[in-house]
Amino acid sequence: MSKAQPTAQKSVVLITGASSGFGEAMAEKYNANGHPLILIARRFQKLESLAARLNQDYPIHIAEVDVSNKVSIDTFLDNLPKKLQSIGVLINNAGLALGTQAFNLANENDFETMIQTNINGLLYMTKRVLPYMLAHHKGHIVNIGSTAGNWPYGGGNVYCGTKAFVQQFSRALRSDLQGENIRVSNIEPGMAETEFSVVRFKGDQEQADNVYQGTQALEAEDIANIVYFTTSLPQHVNINTLEVMPTSQSWGPLHVVRNKDIS
Ligand code: NDP
Ligand code: 8X3
């Protein structure tokens, strides 16, 4: 008769942007599967109510962190409970789009916030968490990119650029980590109904609702399931890039201007 196998220790999972949308759904998914969790975002109250809903049998640490601010990240990491310091999975999910105007009309502060969060925030987090993984020669960094990093659209300009950065950075990081047994994956969702559009339209709920009206967008749980699948594969399997759209979404034609004098 074979002996009962001891339950494998579940990796500590650090999720950025856990206060809503994909991050919140991922927190629920990993908690339901027994993972110790570190959940960060700027809206601490949202994290508190999320943590209260989760299964308390598994460790949950929440912290108010602005990923665009190095001091905020360093303070958080300095105060991380010892038992959660061996981070096994980092999910760089915190991010946002602001505005849909053409680049010449768009707001410079918005550019800076997107770059500071989607690019620099992801870099700061990764740089600081990697030493924990390198020490154990094991880990998985999951970046949340976007179809916007592959397929440009009018009004996407800087947001598209930040997600294209995430894609190529993820690949280059894999090369840097060659031989370290650390996985890097870039998950690229298309249209998904979260707080994303309310943020993009700066609180205008009607405009946000119009984005999803009359169609079936991806749901946060879909992305949580895909990310969980990606990190649950055996250690020797690395999903480099996974692009996913709702069935209702596909590519448009390239635009051609006709009958307009542009000389
Ligand atoms: P939400 O707006 O619901 O979630 C965004 C999360 O990011 C929130 O928890 C927010 O928390 C957090 N966040 C934003 N800025 C910061 C910051 N400076 N520091 C810490 N946390 C921050 O949108 P989604 O869940 O949809 O977005 C998650 C990721 O998915 C983003 O990177 C987005 O670009 C990407 N994405 C979204 C798609 C969509 O259609 N929804 C499609 C493809 C990619 P708080 O405000 O509390 O700080
Ligand atoms: C979010 C998807 O198409 O709104 O990254 O840019 S899209």
Side-chain angles (χ1 to χ4, degrees):
M1 214 166 100
S2 64
K3 271 202 216 156
Q5 294 294 312
T7 316
Q9 202 171 349
K10 302 275 182 156
S11 316
V12 175
V13 180
L14 164 49
I15 304 172
T16 73
S19 60
S20 67
F22 300 164
E24 181 178 6
M26 288 189 269
E28 287 165 353
K29 181 77 184 176
Y30 281 95
N31 173 261
N33 285 280
H35 286 263
L37 284 181
I38 307 166
L39 307 175
I40 65 174
R42 292 166 303 176
R43 290 172 295 173
F44 189 70
Q45 282 187 343
K46 287 248 184 193
L47 294 177
E48 280 182 318
S49 45
L50 167 63
R53 288 201 314 274
L54 297 178
N55 185 340
Q56 308 296 319
D57 289 343
Y58 310 115
I60 303 159
H61 177 75
I62 56 172
E64 180 179 335
V65 182
D66 179 347
V67 298
S68 70
N69 181 323
K70 288 187 217 179
V71 177
S72 175
I73 299 176
D74 289 337
T75 307
F76 147 67
L77 287 173
D78 288 346
N79 291 298
L80 201 54
K82 203 159 176 39
K83 64 175 181 181
L84 291 174
Q85 283 179 2
S86 53
I87 297 163
V89 178
L90 166 64
I91 305 176
N92 281 313
N93 165 72
L96 77 173
L98 291 170
T100 53
Q101 289 180 298
F103 182 70
N104 52 309
L105 301 172
N107 179 311
E108 233 169 56
N109 293 333
D110 288 348
F111 302 169
E112 286 164 7
T113 304
M114 286 188 275
I115 291 167
Q116 196 56 29
T117 310
N118 302 358
I119 297 182
N120 289 339
L122 182 146
L123 295 178
Y124 300 154
M125 284 302 305
T126 305
K127 186 90 163 65
R128 283 159 177 73
V129 170
L130 255 179
Y132 295 95
M133 297 181 173
L134 286 165
H136 299 100
H137 297 287
K138 195 174 177 196
H140 198 155
I141 296 165
V142 179
N143 295 327
I144 304 298
S146 170
T147 49
N150 301 326
W151 315 108
Y153 57 89
N157 43 73
V158 173
Y159 179 69
C160 291
T162 65
K163 293 302 186 178
F165 174 91
V166 171
Q167 184 205 77
Q168 194 66 339
F169 171 71
S170 302
R171 293 174 177 167
L173 182 62
R174 274 217 71 206
S175 303
D176 283 349
L177 294 172
Q178 179 87 40
E180 293 292 352
N181 199 32
I182 296 174
R183 297 185 282 178
V184 184
S185 303
N186 182 32
I187 307 301
E188 303 174 333
M191 180 177 60
E193 189 162 359
T194 60
E195 291 182 16
F196 178 82
S197 290
V198 183
V199 171
R200 182 170 220 169
F201 293 113
K202 302 182 179 172
D204 186 331
Q205 187 67 54
E206 198 181 330
Q207 261 192 302
D209 289 345
N210 285 342
V211 173
Y212 312 109
Q213 218 231 322
T215 193
Q216 171 70 64
L218 293 169
E219 295 169 8
E221 291 69 25
D222 299 322
I223 303 307
N225 288 335
I226 287 166
V227 171
Y228 184 77
F229 161 76
T230 302
T231 61
S232 303
L233 290 166
Q235 186 65 28
H236 68 282
V237 181
N238 190 104
I239 289 189
N240 300 333
T241 307
L242 195 159
E243 186 185 78
V244 51
M245 295 180 187
T247 310
S248 59
Q249 187 177 38
S250 64
W251 304 271
L254 295 177
H255 299 297
V256 177
V257 176
R258 298 183 197 277
N259 303 322
K260 185 175 176 189
D261 184 3
I262 51 169
S263 57

